[in-house]
Coordinates of all heavy atoms in Angstrom, one line a residue:
T557 N 2.1 12.8 3.7 CA 3.3 12.3 3.1 C 3.6 10.8 3.6 O 4.0 10.0 2.8 CB 4.5 13.2 3.5 OG1 4.2 14.5 3.0 CG2 5.8 12.6 3.0
C558 N 3.3 10.5 4.9 CA 3.5 9.2 5.4 C 2.6 8.3 4.7 O 3.0 7.1 4.4 CB 3.4 9.2 6.9 SG 4.7 10.1 7.8
E559 N 1.3 8.6 4.6 CA 0.3 7.7 4.0 C 0.7 7.4 2.6 O 0.7 6.2 2.1 CB -1.1 8.4 4.0 CG -1.7 8.5 5.4 CD -3.1 9.2 5.4 OE1 -3.5 9.6 4.2 OE2 -3.7 9.3 6.5
M560 N 1.2 8.4 1.8 CA 1.5 8.2 0.4 C 2.8 7.4 0.3 O 2.9 6.5 -0.6 CB 1.7 9.5 -0.4 CG 0.4 10.4 -0.5 SD 0.6 11.9 -1.4 CE 1.1 11.2 -3.0
A561 N 3.7 7.6 1.2 CA 5.0 6.8 1.2 C 4.7 5.3 1.5 O 5.4 4.5 0.9 CB 6.0 7.4 2.1
L562 N 3.9 5.1 2.4 CA 3.6 3.7 2.8 C 2.9 3.0 1.6 O 3.2 1.8 1.4 CB 2.6 3.6 4.1 CG 3.3 4.0 5.4 CD1 2.3 4.2 6.5 CD2 4.4 2.9 5.7
F563 N 2.1 3.6 0.9 CA 1.5 3.0 -0.3 C 2.4 2.9 -1.5 O 2.5 1.8 -2.2 CB 0.2 3.8 -0.7 CG -0.6 3.0 -1.8 CD1 -1.4 2.0 -1.5 CD2 -0.3 3.4 -3.1 CE1 -2.1 1.4 -2.6 CE2 -1.0 2.8 -4.2 CZ -2.0 1.7 -3.9
A564 N 3.1 4.0 -1.8 CA 3.8 4.1 -3.0 C 5.3 3.6 -2.8 O 6.0 3.5 -3.8 CB 3.9 5.5 -3.5
G565 N 5.7 3.2 -1.6 CA 7.0 2.6 -1.4 C 8.1 3.6 -1.6 O 9.1 3.2 -2.2
K566 N 8.0 4.8 -1.1 CA 9.1 5.7 -1.3 C 10.2 5.4 -0.4 O 10.1 5.1 0.8 CB 8.6 7.2 -0.8 CG 7.6 7.7 -1.8 CD 7.1 9.1 -1.4 CE 6.2 9.8 -2.4 NZ 5.7 11.2 -1.9
D567 N 11.5 5.4 -0.9 CA 12.7 5.0 -0.1 C 13.8 6.0 -0.3 O 15.0 5.7 0.0 CB 13.1 3.6 -0.4 CG 13.4 3.4 -1.9 OD1 13.2 4.4 -2.7 OD2 13.7 2.4 -2.3
N568 N 13.6 7.2 -0.7 CA 14.5 8.2 -1.0 C 15.0 8.8 0.4 O 14.2 9.2 1.3 CB 14.0 9.4 -1.8 CG 15.0 10.5 -2.0 OD1 15.1 11.4 -1.3 ND2 15.6 10.3 -3.2
A569 N 16.3 8.7 0.6 CA 16.9 9.1 1.9 C 16.7 10.6 2.3 O 16.4 10.9 3.3 CB 18.3 8.8 1.9
E570 N 16.8 11.5 1.2 CA 16.6 12.8 1.3 C 15.2 13.1 1.8 O 14.9 14.0 2.6 CB 17.0 13.6 0.1 CG 17.0 15.1 0.3 CD 17.4 15.7 -1.0 OE1 17.9 15.1 -1.9 OE2 17.2 17.0 -1.2
A571 N 14.3 12.5 1.2 CA 12.8 12.7 1.5 C 12.5 12.2 2.9 O 11.7 12.8 3.6 CB 11.9 12.0 0.4
M572 N 13.1 11.1 3.2 CA 12.9 10.6 4.6 C 13.4 11.6 5.7 O 12.8 11.9 6.7 CB 13.5 9.2 4.8 CG 12.8 8.1 4.0 SD 13.9 6.6 3.9 CE 14.0 6.1 5.7
N573 N 14.6 12.1 5.4 CA 15.2 13.1 6.3 C 14.3 14.3 6.5 O 14.1 14.8 7.5 CB 16.6 13.4 5.9 CG 17.3 14.2 7.0 OD1 17.6 13.8 8.1 ND2 17.7 15.5 6.6
E574 N 13.8 14.7 5.3 CA 12.9 16.0 5.3 C 11.7 15.7 6.1 O 11.2 16.5 6.8 CB 12.6 16.3 3.9 CG 11.7 17.6 3.8 CD 11.4 18.0 2.3 OE1 11.9 17.2 1.4 OE2 10.7 18.9 2.1
T575 N 11.1 14.5 5.9 CA 9.8 14.2 6.7 C 10.1 14.2 8.1 O 9.4 14.6 8.9 CB 9.4 12.8 6.1 OG1 9.1 12.8 4.8 CG2 8.1 12.4 7.0
Y576 N 11.3 13.6 8.5 CA 11.6 13.5 10.0 C 11.8 14.9 10.5 O 11.2 15.2 11.6 CB 12.9 12.7 10.1 CG 13.4 12.7 11.5 CD1 12.8 11.9 12.5 CD2 14.5 13.5 12.0 CE1 13.2 11.8 13.8 CE2 14.9 13.5 13.3 CZ 14.4 12.6 14.2 OH 14.8 12.6 15.5
Q577 N 12.4 15.8 9.9 CA 12.6 17.2 10.4 C 11.3 17.9 10.4 O 11.0 18.6 11.4 CB 13.6 18.0 9.4 CG 15.0 17.4 9.4 CD 15.7 17.4 10.8 OE1 15.4 18.3 11.6 NE2 16.6 16.5 11.0
N578 N 10.4 17.7 9.5 CA 9.1 18.3 9.5 C 8.2 17.8 10.6 O 7.5 18.6 11.2 CB 8.3 18.0 8.2 CG 8.9 18.8 7.0 OD1 9.6 19.7 7.2 ND2 8.6 18.3 5.8
A579 N 8.3 16.5 10.9 CA 7.6 16.0 12.1 C 8.1 16.5 13.4 O 7.3 16.9 14.2 CB 7.7 14.4 12.1
L580 N 9.4 16.7 13.5 CA 10.0 17.2 14.7 C 9.5 18.7 14.9 O 9.0 19.1 16.0 CB 11.5 17.2 14.7 CG 12.3 16.0 15.1 CD1 13.8 16.1 15.0 CD2 11.9 15.7 16.6
S581 N 9.6 19.5 13.9 CA 9.3 20.9 14.0 C 7.7 21.1 14.2 O 7.4 21.9 15.0 CB 9.8 21.6 12.8 OG 9.2 21.2 11.6
S582 N 6.9 20.2 13.6 CA 5.5 20.3 13.7 C 5.1 20.1 15.1 O 4.3 20.8 15.7 CB 4.8 19.4 12.7 OG 5.0 19.7 11.4
L583 N 5.6 19.0 15.7 CA 5.2 18.7 17.1 C 5.7 19.8 18.1 O 4.9 20.2 19.0 CB 5.9 17.3 17.5 CG 5.2 16.0 17.0 CD1 6.0 14.8 17.5 CD2 3.8 16.0 17.6
S584 N 6.9 20.3 17.8 CA 7.4 21.4 18.8 C 6.6 22.6 18.5 O 6.2 23.2 19.5 CB 8.9 21.7 18.3 OG 9.3 22.7 19.1

Side-chain angles (χ1 to χ4, degrees):
T557 299
C558 292
E559 290 180 357
M560 294 183 65
L562 287 170
F563 183 84
K566 293 182 179 179
D567 56 0
N568 182 274
E570 184 177 349
M572 290 167 63
N573 187 65
E574 181 182 358
T575 302
Y576 176 74
Q577 296 298 331
N578 288 339
L580 274 178
S581 60
S582 293
L583 282 177
S584 176

